[in-house]
Amino acid sequence: MIDFDAIPRARLPELLRAMPKAELHIHIEGSLEPELIFALAQRNGVALAYPSVEALRAAYAFTDLQSFLDIYYAGASVLIEERDFADLAYAYLQRAAADHVIHAEIFFDPQTHTARGVDIGTVIRGLAAACARGERELGITGRLILCFLRHLDEADALATFDAALPYRAHFIGVGLDSSERGHPPEKFARVFARARAEGLHCVAHAGEEGPPEYIRSALDVLHAERIDHGVRCVEDPALVERLAREGVALTVCPLSNLKLCVFDSLDAHNLADLLAAGLKVTVNSDDPAYFGGYINQNFVETFAALPQLGTREAYALARNSFEASFVDAAARAAMVGRLDSTFATYAR
């Protein structure tokens, strides 16, 4: 039994950084730092609209999800060869491992690349190679989740899924991302049904800019096992009660919510309320190169802004990340054991 009260609050930021954790909401294209964009552009002969790393970083001033997506897709234009995708994913895994992430379930958007003429096999092989290297060299397990772009039609998603099937061994699930407004989950009912028939896990972005009803349809129509974001569930008390009762995890991304104006300030974020309502909340970085922070920065800044969060909540969030992951029971038990050991050390 961990004595949470024995851990001084002054050590909380240190503990947040040191505790083992899983990251369940990370878009690999959203970890593309300006420095790597310029390096890959030079390697691949791609002309950029910005004269320098500093000018590109200065352009990261978003007012909503769409204004972010416009620059996000432009940045992805430098990813062309298999080694580009491998370099991108390995750079993220290095940062994640430094933040004591021991398991990551990584979103990737093949349609962003196939629309530019990049073969889907190039994308998946490069990302899978980085995951294998990360496990071998960094001790972090990485698994891939193929996401469909919801602003495109379902026919495009179905064609993408067909093209990805030869690489089925390299990804564990499917997800739904991109512009939420006006693109309800039920638009993708058939492709998610096909994914489930292939034995793939299903997750979906819902309730970030879209209404609580999108969360309900993601659960009922797509049979999503996790909801990515989900912060607007609080507008529907019956939905909150259902999410708590069914143990549906929410992969919340505080700094992303702040950057995209889902909340006006970090101290207005509802993370503590979600936890208090009994929801299985996790903390994640979303698109960290664009939103100003990888996972540890999300933890530290959020806990600083919400003083009602303490050591118990830190433990709950980290444990939730393991319990909500798609690892087997033995791996999950080992991860929780590492978490318990870390907290026990801090409680001495």
Side-chain angles (χ1 to χ4, degrees), residues 254-255 257-258 262-273 298 300-309:
L255 293 181
N257 292 160
L258 179 64
V262 178
F263 295 94
D264 293 333
S265 61
L266 207 51
D267 59 9
H269 201 285
N270 65 10
L271 177 72
D273 298 328
N298 274 268
V300 171
E301 291 193 23
T302 302
F303 272 65
L306 301 173
Q308 63 269 51
L309 296 176

Side-chain angles (χ1 to χ4, degrees), residues 4-18:
F4 294 106
D5 294 328
I7 303 174
R9 185 165 186 92
R11 297 194 73 191
L12 184 55
E14 176 191 344
L15 175 58
L16 292 169
R17 293 186 179 97

Side-chain angles (χ1 to χ4, degrees), residues 29 32 40 75-81 84-85 88 113 116 118:
E29 293 90 351
L32 185 54
L40 295 179
S77 67
V78 301
L79 298 164
I80 297 172
E81 305 293 342
D84 302 336
F85 293 93
L88 167 66
H113 313 297
R116 299 181 288 110
V118 178

Side-chain angles (χ1 to χ4, degrees), residues 227-279:
I227 297 296
D228 299 313
H229 292 298
V231 291
R232 288 190 62 189
C233 69
V234 295
E235 298 169 25
D236 185 336
L239 177 60
V240 171
E241 193 277 330
R242 175 186 176 183
L243 292 169
R245 184 180 69 251
E246 296 180 4
V248 178
L250 304 183
T251 63
V252 176
C253 306
L255 293 181
S256 163
N257 292 160
L258 179 64
K259 191 80 168 180
L260 295 181
C261 308
V262 178
F263 295 94
D264 293 333
S265 61
L266 207 51
D267 59 9
H269 201 285
N270 65 10
L271 177 72
D273 298 328
L274 297 171
L275 271 177
L279 299 186

Side-chain angles (χ1 to χ4, degrees), residues 35-250:
E35 292 81 1
L36 186 56
I37 289 177
F38 270 81
L40 295 179
Q42 185 174 32
R43 186 160 88 187
N44 292 324
V46 176
L48 296 173
Y50 300 92
S52 67
V53 167
E54 293 71 27
L56 177 55
R57 200 177 289 281
Y60 292 3
F62 314 115
T63 54
D64 58 13
L65 182 60
Q66 190 57 54
S67 62
F68 153 65
L69 290 171
D70 292 341
I71 197 165
Y72 170 89
Y73 293 130
S77 67
V78 301
L79 298 164
I80 297 172
E81 305 293 342
E82 192 171 312
R83 65 174 178 158
D84 302 336
F85 293 93
D87 289 349
L88 167 66
Y90 193 71
Y92 161 73
L93 290 168
Q94 287 177 303
R95 287 176 176 268
D99 278 357
H100 296 278
V101 173
I102 58 176
H103 176 73
E105 296 181 1
I106 300 167
F107 298 145
F108 69 104
D109 293 332
Q111 288 156 292
T112 296
H113 313 297
T114 55
R116 299 181 288 110
V118 178
D119 182 74
I120 196 169
T122 297
V123 179
I124 296 175
R125 286 192 304 270
L127 298 177
C131 289
R133 184 183 173 196
E135 189 163 357
R136 188 172 65 247
E137 298 182 6
L138 304 172
I140 179 174
T141 51
R143 301 293 181 262
L144 300 175
I145 294 178
L146 185 160
C147 288
F148 303 112
L149 299 180
R150 68 200 304 158
H151 66 276
L152 302 177
D153 61 29
E154 190 182 35
D156 201 309
L158 285 163
T160 297
F161 188 67
D162 284 336
L165 276 179
Y167 308 96
R168 165 70 181 81
H170 294 304
F171 57 99
I172 63 166
V174 299
L176 185 63
D177 62 11
S178 188
S179 317
E180 190 180 3
R181 288 184 189 141
H183 302 288
E186 53 268 28
K187 177 180 169 183
F188 296 90
R190 290 181 302 159
V191 72
F192 270 73
R194 284 202 54 203
R196 293 196 308 276
E198 289 288 338
L200 290 159
H201 293 289
C202 294
V203 301
H205 283 50
E208 177 192 17
E209 290 193 319
E213 188 53 42
Y214 280 18
I215 300 174
R216 191 172 278 105
S217 2
L219 297 172
D220 293 338
V221 179
L222 304 186
H223 301 279
E225 298 163 74
R226 290 194 305 247
I227 297 296
D228 299 313
H229 292 298
V231 291
R232 288 190 62 189
C233 69
V234 295
E235 298 169 25
D236 185 336
L239 177 60
V240 171
E241 193 277 330
R242 175 186 176 183
L243 292 169
R245 184 180 69 251
E246 296 180 4
V248 178
L250 304 183

